Amino acid sequence: MSRWNDLTGGTSGEDYAARFAALARSGKDMHGEARFCAALVPPGARVLDAGCGTGRVMIRLAELGYDCVGVDLDGSMLAVARQQAPQLPWFQADLAELDPDALGGATDFDLVVVAGNVFQLVADGTVATVVRRLTAALRPGGLLVSGFGLDEAHLPVSPTLTLDQYDGHCESAGLTLVDHFATWDADPYDGGGYAVSVHRR
C-alpha cells in the first residue's frame, strides 16, 4: 500500500482536481512543471508523467506538442484525467511494479517527470525500485525530473526520503546528477525544504 493510498484511501481525485481548479481561478500559475520540462526537451519529445494524478502536468505538455503517456496508481485521479483528456494515454499501475513495455508500446522516453511529492508518497522501502523502473523507461541520454518536499512544511506526510538518499538511488540506477533547483522556476537550490532534481541516464 502506498503512503498516498494510506493518506487518501484512493478516492480523492475529484477533491484534488477541485483544489487545483480553485488555485487556477485565483490566478496562481499552474504550469511551472510543464514549463520546466519544456525547457529541457523540444516539442515532439516523448514524455512519461509518472504519478500523473489528474493529469494537470501531462495535459499541458500535450498542448505544447509533446508525445505524452501518464501512469498513476490512484484510479480516482486517473478517472479525472481521462475525463479531461480522453484522447491521451492513461495507465493505472504501481510505479514499483511498472513495466515500460506495458505502456502501449511506449518505451525509450526522452524525459520522465515525477512531480507532486510522488517519491515521498510511494510505499515505504520502494523508492530505489521506483527509480530503477523509471530509469528503464528512459532512452540513453534521457532525463529523470522529479520534485518533492523534504520537510513537513512541504509535505502532507512526514518525510522519509532525503535528497542525498534520492541522489544515491539515482546513482545506483545508472543516472548522473545534472542539477538541483529550489523550484520549478529553476531557482538555485539552497538547501531548503523542496527540491527539483534533474538526472540523466
Side-chain angles (χ1 to χ4, degrees):
M1 182 70 71
S2 72
R3 299 183 82 201
W4 171 257
N5 274 354
D6 288 343
L7 183 68
T8 68
T11 61
S12 64
E14 293 289 347
D15 290 342
Y16 188 89
R19 179 161 60 90
F20 275 91
L23 288 171
R25 287 193 300 271
S26 75
K28 184 174 176 60
D29 175 21
M30 305 306 299
H31 299 304
E33 300 98 328
R35 188 166 54 249
F36 184 95
C37 293
L40 296 174
V41 291
R46 305 179 74 207
V47 176
L48 174 62
D49 188 350
C52 62
T54 58
R56 176 177 55 86
V57 176
M58 177 169 142
I59 291 170
R60 179 58 177 164
L61 285 169
E63 290 171 349
L64 294 173
Y66 292 87
D67 180 9
C68 299
V69 174
V71 60
D72 201 281
L73 177 62
D74 188 331
S76 73
M77 303 285 269
L78 287 172
V80 175
R82 289 173 176 139
Q83 183 179 36
Q84 293 181 343
Q87 76 281 9
L88 296 178
W90 308 99
F91 294 89
Q92 186 170 5
D94 186 334
L95 295 180
E97 301 173 359
L98 182 66
D99 177 3
D101 291 330
L103 301 177
T107 56
D108 295 329
F109 289 94
D110 298 295
L111 184 146
V112 174
V113 58
V114 193
N117 291 318
V118 170
F119 278 116
Q120 294 281 17
L121 293 167
V122 297
D124 290 338
T126 66
V127 172
T129 300
V130 172
V131 171
R132 287 196 304 270
R133 296 279 184 172
L134 297 180
T135 299
L138 284 168
R139 65 166 178 79
L143 298 172
L144 175 63
V145 178
S146 66
F148 54 87
L150 299 165
D151 59 24
E152 292 190 1
H154 293 86
L155 290 167
V157 293
S158 297
T160 57
L161 177 67
T162 68
L163 193 55
D164 284 344
Q165 288 170 335
Y166 175 68
D167 285 343
H169 293 318
C170 289
E171 183 178 359
S172 295
L175 299 170
T176 301
L177 175 65
V178 175
D179 210 345
H180 292 303
F181 302 92
T183 68
W184 290 101
D185 289 325
D187 296 318
Y189 182 68
D190 58 2
Y194 189 88
V196 176
S197 303
V198 181
H199 291 80
R200 186 181 304 276
R201 182 175 182 185

